[in-house]
C-alpha cells in the first residue's frame, strides 16, 4: 500500500514536535514506569501503538489535573503526604495545567495515556513526592473520574447550545404568526396551519431533549474516585469531601460498579442520537421548504454553499449535515452499546473505546448547533408562496365538519366530501370555485353558507384547542415556550 | 419458492377462524368505509396486505377501547353526541372490550387496523351513533394515544419485574457475605472481594435503569388526543379533562409534535437496550462462574437445559438468552431511530414501524426477567471453590501498600512488588509461601510482618471506604440497596 | 398489568388448538425426552417458555424434514439403520411433511422446538426406529442445516422479486424516454435529465444487490450436517453424498466453525439492509415526485391510501413503508451482529436469536417488493409538469461550457455565469429571457448564439458519454439493463 | 465551558503551522474561488468550519492528484487542453504529490477540501491552465473517484493483513496437533478436541471474509469519473481509457448512480464489522484461555500490559481491544447505513459523512491485525493444563455411542448415559474411575470393554469425517487451509 494509506488515523495524528503527543507506535518505550516490574520484556512497538490511548484521551488533560489535585489533598488529609509534599504537588499540577493551556506541554515517548503523561511530568517538576500520587488510586477510578468531569462540562455546554436553537425557533415562531402554510401528512398537503405552529412543533422535542440531558447530568455527576482498581481504596480518604471538592452530587455506592459502568456515556450518546433525530426532521423540513418546488424559505447566502461545476447552485449544506450527521450519531450509540455488551470484568480494556465516540459526537454538535441557530435566524420566509401553495382540498376536513354541523354523522360526511374531492379532480375545478349548486349536486345538505367552510384562515381558527393551530392558541403556546426557555429544563 | 416460505410473518399470523384477525392480503376489501370516498378503485390486495397493521396493533385493542370511550364522553360534553348516543356508544365499547377479553371478537376482512375494527364493530352493535365517534378525531392522534396508554402499563409491569431481579440480587448479597472470591479486571484475577460485593455491583446499574424508567414514564404520560390529524381538533373538547380521565399527567403542547413524535418509544427501546447491556454483563459473569473452570456456582436443574446429543451437558441457557437477546434489543433501538430519522411530515406512514419493536422487546423482557430472578434465587454458590481459586498474587497491591507504609513511595513499591511477582512465577512458589528472607532478597524494606499483608480477609477488610469491599462497608451498601428497593426509583 | 399486556409476543402467538404450537410457558412438560436423563428436576415452566423456540422455528418444519430424510439415508448407508428401518422412517417423514402442508400437524406441550416436535411425531408414527434418527447428529448441526436450506429458498425467492422491481424500472425507463425533468443535487435543481435516466439510476444499485445476493448464496450453500455437536460425527457418513442429496455445493471444512458461524445470516441481513437503503432512496424520490409541490407523478388509487379524517388525502403508503421498513432492517442487522459478537463456544444459546430477524426481514420484503413493482408499473408520469418545473438556471453549467468554448478557462467561466445567475435573481428575469445585450453587459464573450446554450434538450444531448443522460446514451444504457436482467447476476 | 472542551475534534486537529490544514472555522475565507460568483455574501465562519471537510479528506491527497492527472490527460485528448497546457499541469501535479509526500504541502485558509486545495496550489504553480482543470468535471464525480482509488489500496492492504492472521492460525494449528483440549458449547465442556481444530475453526471465517473482500473489491473498482455533477460530462472524454489509466475494471453505467451511491463504502464497513465479529470470538476464546481459571495459554510479555496499581497483573489488552473495537465497527456500519437511508438527490451533502468511518475502521484494523498475528505467534500453549482440564464427562457422547454399538437406540442410550452422569456427580466419582459393575448397575448393556469408550484420544479419533477433529482429518484440513492461503480468495 502506498505511503498515504499508512498514515495513522485522523484520530491519532502523529506529533510533529514535542508539543504534541508522540506518534503512536513509532517509538518503543525503553522503560515502563507504570507497570514494568513484573515483565521480562518491554512491549512490542506495535502493541504499544495499539494500546496507547493518548491520541484520544489527551483531551482529558485539564480534567485529570483537577481530579489529581483533589486526590492529592485527600490523601494528604489521610496522612499519606506531608503538607509540604502536598503543596509541592499542587504547585506542580498548577504548572502542568498552565502548560496544557499554553499548548506547551511536551509529551514523551513513554506516555501511554494522558494520565501517565501527567504523572511523568509531575515527577520531572516535583521529584519524589510524585511517586506517591498514585497511592490508593488506580487508573480505573482515575480515568472514569476525569471522563465524568469532562462530560459534565460538555453537557452544560451543549445544553446552552440546544437552548439557543430553541430560542431561534421561538424567534421564528414570533415572526411568522401571520404566515399561513400547508401542513403535511405523508408529505401530502393535509390541513392549513400557521407556520409558527410548525416552528414550535420542533421546539418541544428539543425541550424534552434538554430535560433528558438534565436528568442524565444528575446520574453522571457521581464520584467514582476512591474505588481503586475495583474493590475500593485502602487509603482512608473522605470520599464525600472529595465529591464536594470536585462538584459531584454524590459518591458511587459500589466500587466495582464505579469502575466498570459506562451507562452515563451510553445515555449521553442516546441523548445525542435522539437529538439528532429531532434535528434531522427539522432539517428535512427546511431542505424541502428551501427547494424550488416548495419555495417557502430562502437561506442566507452566508449559510449556503455553491457548486464547483454548476454556477447557479445554492445549497442548504448546514441542514444536510444536520441530517447526515444524525446517522453517524446513531452509529456512535450502537457502537458503544455493542462494545459494552457482555463485558465480564470490573474493567476490561474494551472500555478504552468509550471516549472516542463521545468526543466525536460532542465536536459534531458544537460545530453544528450554532450554525443551525444562525441559519434559522437569518433565513427568509416567503409568506406569499406558502399561502399560494395551499391546495383548496386541504379544506376538505372543514367541509366534512360543515356537514356534521348540518346533522350528518362524521363518517358519512367524510364519504360525501371524498366524492366532492374526486369530482373536483376529475373536473379540474378546485372546490373553492365550486358553486353552491355544484355542491348540492353531490349532496342536498350543502347550503348557501358552504363557502364559509372554505376559508383557510377560518379553518386555522377553528383548531381552537390547547395545542391547536388557531392563532390565539399558538400565541398561548409561544408563551409556554418562552417560559420553558427561562426555566431549568 | 416452496409454500412454507410464503407463509406470512410470525408477526402476522393468518387467522384460522373469524375470531382471529383476517389474513393480511388474502381478501381484498370490497368497500372502504374509512377513506374510500375519494378513490375510484379499491386497494390492490397486495397493497392492502402490506398496509394493514392489524396483525401488530391488535394488541392495543383494550387501550384503544379505553381511549375511544374517553373521546365519546369528551365529544358528548362538547355537544357532538346526545346523552343517549353517548350511553349507547359506551355500552357498545364495554361489550367490545368484553369480546376482546373473552377472545370472542370477530375480525372482518375490511379491518385495516385495530381502530377500524373497533369502529366497525361499534357500528354493528350500536348503529348510526358509531358513525359520529370519529368526529374531530384522526387516527393520527387516536393511535398514539392508545400506544402511550399501552406502554404506560408495560412500563409499570417492567418496573416490577426489574425490581424483582434486584431483590434477588439483594438476597444473594445477603447470603454470600462470608464468601471470598477473586475480583477480576481484564478477566485476570485482580484483588480479593466479597462475593456479596459482586452481586451488588449488578444491583446498582438496575437501580439507575429503574430511575431512567420512571423518568421516561413521566414523558410518556402526556395526552396527545385532541390533536386531530396534525393541526388540532375542531371539536371544543376539554383536553385537560380528557387527560385526567385517562390518567395522563399533562396534555401535549403542540398538535403537530403530538402526532409526529415517537421519542417516547425510542427512549423506551434505549432503556431496554441499556438494561440489556447490564443483564448481559451479569449473565456473562454467571456463565463464567458456572463453567467447570471457574466452578463458583451451580445452576438449579430447573433453570438449566441439556443437550440432544451429549448426555452430560447442563447449560446456562437462561443467562445465555439474556446475553443474546440484549443484542436484539440494541437492534430494535437502532431500527427505530433509523426509521424516525429525517421524516418530514406530521405523520408519515413510516411511523407504523414504531410498535413492533416495542412489543418484541417487552415480550422478551417479560419472559426473561422472571427467569433471571428465579435463577439467581435458586443457584448454589460454592464458597470453597471461590476461595480456593484465589491466586495469592492478588495480594500484590496489599504488598505494595505494605511497602508504602514502610515509607517507600507507591510507584517504587509497585515496581518492587512487580519483581517479587515475576520471581514467584519463575520459581513456581506463590508469594504466600515465601519466607521473609525471600522477600528481603528482593528489597530490604520487607520485614517480619510481611505475611500479615498476605491474608485475603485482611486485604478485603482494608478496602474500608464507602463503596469498598470491606465487610462492614458491604453491609452498609446492602442496607442502602434495601432502602433503594423500598423507595420509588 | 392488565391482561392484554400479558399476552405473548405477536411473534409467539399462543396456539388455540392442538394444530398450533403450544403456548410458550403455559404447560410445564412432564418429561424431557431429549435431554432429561441427567436432570433431577424438570424445567421450571417460565424457563421452559423462555427456552422454547418453537414459535419461531416452526417455519423450518419442511426443511428440517428434508434434512432429516437425507440424514436417515446417510446413516442407513453407514450401517446404523437397516433398510427396513430406513424406509419406515422415510415414510414417516413423508407423512409428517404432508401434515405440515395440510396444516394438520399437532404440536405437543413437550415440543421444545420444531426438531424435537418432528422427532416426537416420528416416534408416534414409526416407533422404535425413530429413537435412532439422532444417532451421530446434534441439534447444533441439524438446526443450522435446516436454516441454510430455508434461507437458500428464501434467497431464490427474493432474487426473483427484486428482479421484478428492476423489470418495472426498465419498463418505466422505456416509457419515459421523452420526459425531461430536473435533476437534483442537495434537493436543488441542478441540471436537466431524462426521467428515464433517473429510473435507471435506481436500477443499477439493485443489480449490484442481486450480484451480492448470488455471491452470498454460494457461501450459504455449504453443508454443515455431519459436524455433530462441535467435533464431527462419529458415524462414518459420506458428507459429500449428503451435500449432493440436499443440493449443497460443498461441505463445511471444520465442524466447530460449521455449528458456530452465522455469517451467512449476518450477510443476508446486510444484503437486506443495503437493499433497503436503495429502496428507501427510490421511495423518497417518488414520495417527493408525488407531492403536490413537485407533481411529477400520480400513484394509482389501488396503491394509495386515504385518511380517516381528511377526505381529500391520497397517500403514498407503499413507498413510505419501503422507507420506514428499511430502518427496521438496519436494526435487524445491528441486532444480529451485536448478538454474535464475542460468543465463546462452538454453540452458545445466544444463537437462538439468529432466525427471528431473518424471518422478519424476509416477510417484510415478500410483502413489499411486489407492491413496489406494481406501484411503479401503475403510476402515471406528468411529462408536462416535469418539464414545466425546470428552472432555466439549471442551464448555467451549459452557459459556462459555452464560455469555455469561446476560450475562457472553466473556473473563470463559472464565476461569470455565477454573476449572471445572481443578476437574474435580482432582476427577476430568468436567463432564458435575457437578451444578448443583457449577457454582454456581464461579459463581452457572450455572443449572438448564446441562446443555443439555453435549450434543455440540447443540454441533455450534450451529456453524450457512456452513462450520461443524452438520449442515445440512455438508450444504450437501457439495452445494458435489459441484458443484465436476462443474465445471471 | 472551559477551553479544553472547545478544542476541535480529534478528527480535525487544528494546524500549528502552514504545513498543516487550516484550523476549521478559525478563518473566514475572503474569496470563494470555487463557487462564489452567485453569492452576495461570503460564508459565515461557523458555517465554513462545519462545511469544510479538509480535516478528514486530506487523506485522499495523493489519490486525488492521481485522478486529476488522469483527467488532465483525458480532457487534453478531447481537445480542451493544448499539449503544452497538459504537460505543465502534469508537472504541477507531480510537484504537488511530492509536496504531500514530503509533508511540505502548505494549506491555505480558503481550502474548503483537499480537492480545492490541490486546484488552488496548481494555480499557484502553473497559472492559468489550472483554471481549466475542472472543465467537465464536478467535485461529485471527482471525490468519489479519489475515494474509490483510496479504498482499493486499503482493501489490498487489509487483505494482506488478514491473510497474515490466517497464516499465524495455521502456524498454531501445525504446532498444536498433539494438544488435546476441551471443546465447549454453552461454555460448558462438551467433547474433547484437538487444539489445532480450534485454531482452524477461526481460520475459515477469515477465509470467507477474504472472499467477501475480493468480491467487494470488484464492485468498488468501477470508474465514476466522467459523470459530471449528476448527468454526465459534456466533454467527450474516453471513459474506458480513463478507467484503464486508473486501473479500474469497468466504468459506471449511470452518472446519477455513480455520484450518489456509496454501497461500496457500506459494504466495506459491513465487511469490517463481520471480520470484527470473527476476531472478537477468537479474542474472547483467548481471553478465557489466558485466564488463571482456564490456563491453557500464556501471552508473551511483549503483547501484554500491566496495571498502574496492581503489580501482579498481566493483561491480554490486544485481544480485549479486538473485542472492544469490533463493537465500534458495528457502529460505523450502522451510522453510514442510517446516513444513506432515504437520501433524495444525486448528491446530498450528507454523503460527506461517508469517509470518516471508513478511515477510522481502516486505521483500527491496520493497528490491530499485526498485533493479533504476532500475539498468536508468540503465545505459549500449555498442553498439560489443557489436557488436565478435560472433564471425563465429556466422553458421555462416546459412552452413548458405545451403547448404540451394542444395539440400543441412540435416544435410549442418551437417557441411560444421562443417568450415569447424574450418579457420577452425586457420588463424586468421575466415570473414568467407575468399575464395569458400576456401569452395569445402571444398565446391563455395559460390558467389560466400556473403558475403551472413555479414552479422550480415542474419542477424538472417532470424529473421523471430513471437518471432524480426528487427527488425520485435522491434518487434511490443515492442508486445505495452506492451499487456501496460497490461492486468491
Amino acid at each position: 500500500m502506498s505511503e498515504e494509506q499508512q498514515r495513522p488515523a485522523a484520530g491519532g495524528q502523529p506529533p510533529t514536535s514535542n508539543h504534541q503527543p508522540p506518534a503512536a507506535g513509532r517509538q518503543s518505550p525503553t522503560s515502563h514506569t507504570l507497570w514494568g516490574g513484573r515483565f521480562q520484556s518491554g512491549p512490542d512497538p506495535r502493541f504499544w501503538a495499539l494500546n496507547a490511548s493518548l491520541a484520544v484521551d489527551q483531551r482529558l488533560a485539564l480534567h485529570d489535573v483537577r481530579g489529581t489535585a483533589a486526590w492529592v489533598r485527600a490523601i494528604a488529609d489521610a496522612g499519606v503526604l506531608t503538607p509540604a509534599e502536598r503543596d509541592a504537588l499542587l504547585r506542580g499540577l498548577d504548572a502542568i495545567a498552565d502548560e496544557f493551556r499554553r499548548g506547551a506541554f511536551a509529551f514523551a515517548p513513554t506516555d501511554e495515556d494522558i494520565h501517565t503523561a501527567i504523572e511523568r511530568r509531575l515527577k520531572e517538576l516535583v521529584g519524589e513526592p510524585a511517586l506517591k500520587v498514585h497511592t490508593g488510586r488506580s487508573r480505573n477510578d482515575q480515568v472514569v473520574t476525569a471522563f465524568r468531569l469532562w462530560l459534565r462540562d460538555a453537557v452544560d455546554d451543549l445544553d446552552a447550545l440546544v437552548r439557543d436553537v430553541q430560542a431561534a425557533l421561538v424567534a421564528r415562531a414570533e415572526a411568522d404568526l401571520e404566515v399561513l402554510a400547508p401542513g403535511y401528512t405523508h408529505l401530502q398537503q393535509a390541513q392549513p396551519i400557521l407556520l409558527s405552529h410548525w416552528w414550535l412543533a420542533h421546539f418541544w422535542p428539543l425541550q424534552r431533549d434538554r430535560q433528558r440531558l438534565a436528568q442524565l447530568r444528575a446520574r453522571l455527576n457521581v464520584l467514582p474516585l476512591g474505588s481503586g482498581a475495583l474493590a475500593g481504596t485502602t487509603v482512608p480518604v473522605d470520599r464525600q469531601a472529595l465529591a464536594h471538592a470536585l462538584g459531584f452530587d454524590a459518591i458511587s455506592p459500589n466500587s466495582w460498579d464505579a469502575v466498570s459502568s459506562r451507562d452515563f456515556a451510553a445515555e449521553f450518546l442516546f441523548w445525542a442520537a435522539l437529538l439528532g433525530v429531532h434535528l434531522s426532521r427539522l432539517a428535512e423540513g427546511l431542505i424541502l421548504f428551501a427547494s424550488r418546488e416548495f419555495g417557502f424559505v430562502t437561506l442566507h447566502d452566508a449559510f449556503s454553499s455553491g457548486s464547483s461545476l454548476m454556477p447557479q447552485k445554492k445549497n442548504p449544506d448546514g441542514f444536510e449535515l444536520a441530517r447526515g450527521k444524525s446517522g453517524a450519531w446513531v452509529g456512535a450509540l450502537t457502537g458503544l452499546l455493542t462494545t459494552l455488551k457482555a463485558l465480564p470484568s470490573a474493567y476490561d480494556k474494551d472500555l478504552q473505546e468509550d471516549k472516542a465516540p463521545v468526543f466525536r459526537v460532542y465536536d459534531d454538535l458544537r460545530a453544528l448547533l450554532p450554525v443551525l441557530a444562525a441559519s434559522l435566524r437569518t433565513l427568509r420566509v416567503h409568506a406569499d408562496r406558502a399561502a399560494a401553495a395551499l391546495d383548496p382540498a386541504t379544506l376538505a376536513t372543514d367541509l366534512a365538519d360543515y356537514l356534521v354541523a348540518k346533522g350528518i354523522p362524521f363518517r358519512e360526511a367524510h364519504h360525501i366530501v371524498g366524492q366532492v374531492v374526486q369530482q373536483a379532480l376529475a373536473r379540474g375545478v378546485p372546490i373553492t370555485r365550486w358553486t353552491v349548486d355544484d355542491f348540492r349536486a353531490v349532496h342536498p345538505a350543502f347550503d348557501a353558507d358552504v363557502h364559509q367552510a372554505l376559508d383557510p384562515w377560518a379553518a386555522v381558527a377553528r383548531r381552537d384547542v390547547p395545542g391547536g393551530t388557531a392563532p390565539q392558541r399558538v400565541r398561548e403556546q409561544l408563551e409556554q415556550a418562552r417560559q420553558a426557555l427561562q426555566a431549568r429544563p
Side-chain angles (χ1 to χ4, degrees), chain A residues 193-432:
Chain A
I193 56 164
L194 287 198
L195 190 58
S196 290
H197 195 58
W198 186 83
W199 293 116
L200 290 172
H202 294 280
F203 173 93
W204 297 108
L206 300 186
Q207 186 64 17
R208 294 191 294 274
D209 287 331
R210 286 180 60 223
Q211 189 187 55
R212 275 182 280 262
L213 191 65
Q215 290 173 346
L216 78 85
R217 188 192 191 283
R219 269 184 291 277
L220 165 69
N221 203 26
V222 172
L223 174 86
L225 202 59
S227 297
L230 73 158
T233 183
T234 54
V235 176
V237 292
D238 181 342
R239 295 188 67 218
Q240 293 288 2
L242 254 178
H244 186 74
L246 290 169
F248 285 112
D249 296 332
I251 63 171
S252 57
N254 180 295
S255 57
W256 181 301
D257 175 36
V259 297
S260 70
S261 288
R262 292 295 184 276
D263 44 351
F264 68 87
E267 195 173 352
F268 172 75
L269 291 177
F270 169 69
W271 174 81
L274 190 52
L275 172 66
V277 165
H278 295 146
L279 298 177
S280 76
R281 297 184 74 170
L282 171 62
E284 177 83 1
L286 287 167
I287 291 166
L288 288 170
F289 288 177
S291 71
R292 177 177 169 86
E293 286 71 15
F294 282 76
F296 302 170
V297 304
T298 300
L299 303 190
H300 194 282
D301 277 7
F303 293 96
S304 306
S305 73
S307 157
S308 65
L309 178 66
M310 298 173 286
Q312 89 284 7
K313 288 303 295 293
K314 181 175 156 184
N315 299 323
D317 290 45
F319 293 115
E320 292 173 279
L321 286 170
R323 186 178 59 185
K325 284 177 183 292
S326 75
W329 305 336
V330 172
L333 167 65
T334 300
L336 184 59
L337 289 172
T338 305
T339 291
L340 293 178
K341 178 212 155 202
L343 290 185
S345 310
Y347 180 87
D348 301 286
K349 185 72 170 196
D350 316 53
L351 292 181
Q352 185 163 301
E353 300 298 311
D354 62 350
K355 280 175 286 297
V358 168
F359 291 164
R360 279 204 312 273
V361 167
Y362 169 77
D363 288 332
D364 275 355
L365 283 168
R366 257 198 80 84
L368 179 69
L369 291 167
V371 171
L372 291 184
S375 298
L376 291 172
R377 288 192 171 98
T378 55
L379 62 78
R380 260 188 313 144
V381 167
H382 304 291
D384 50 342
R385 294 190 208 157
L390 257 179
D391 182 355
T394 54
L395 301 166
T397 319
D398 293 84
L399 204 56
D401 285 343
Y402 167 88
L403 290 176
V404 167
K406 299 284 181 192
I408 296 178
F410 175 74
R411 189 53 68 212
E412 202 179 323
H414 181 286
H415 196 78
I416 295 164
V417 177
Q419 291 173 318
V420 167
V421 171
Q422 195 186 30
Q423 289 188 21
L425 276 174
R427 295 168 46 201
V429 179
I431 56 175
T432 38

Side-chain angles (χ1 to χ4, degrees), chain A residues 3-81:
Chain A
E3 81 199 79
E4 67 277 18
Q5 240 91 17
Q6 298 180 25
R7 291 178 46 199
Q13 296 290 2
T16 51
S17 81
N18 67 352
H19 293 270
Q20 288 289 322
R26 295 288 164 79
Q27 297 98 338
S28 181
T30 50
S31 74
H32 309 290
T33 52
L34 262 197
W35 40 266
R38 169 237 203 284
F39 285 73
Q40 288 185 297
S41 81
D44 183 275
R46 295 165 294 178
F47 176 75
W48 179 261
L50 175 69
N51 213 36
S53 55
L54 187 54
V56 169
D57 62 25
Q58 57 176 301
R59 287 182 72 156
L60 300 179
L62 290 178
H63 293 92
D64 190 63
V65 168
R66 188 175 172 199
T68 296
W71 183 249
V72 163
R73 288 180 206 276
I75 62 175
D77 289 350
V80 170
L81 301 172

Side-chain angles (χ1 to χ4, degrees), chain A residues 69-120:
Chain A
W71 183 249
V72 163
R73 288 180 206 276
I75 62 175
D77 289 350
V80 170
L81 301 172
T82 65
E85 286 173 329
R86 179 196 63 202
D87 294 345
L89 287 166
L90 292 175
R91 278 193 302 273
L93 288 166
D94 269 355
I96 289 170
D98 192 54
E99 288 180 358
F100 278 115
R101 284 195 200 93
R102 286 184 291 113
F105 186 92
F107 288 97
T110 49
D111 293 345
E112 186 181 348
D113 56 23
I114 189 65
H115 317 288
T116 59
I118 290 170
E119 187 175 327
R120 189 256 317 146

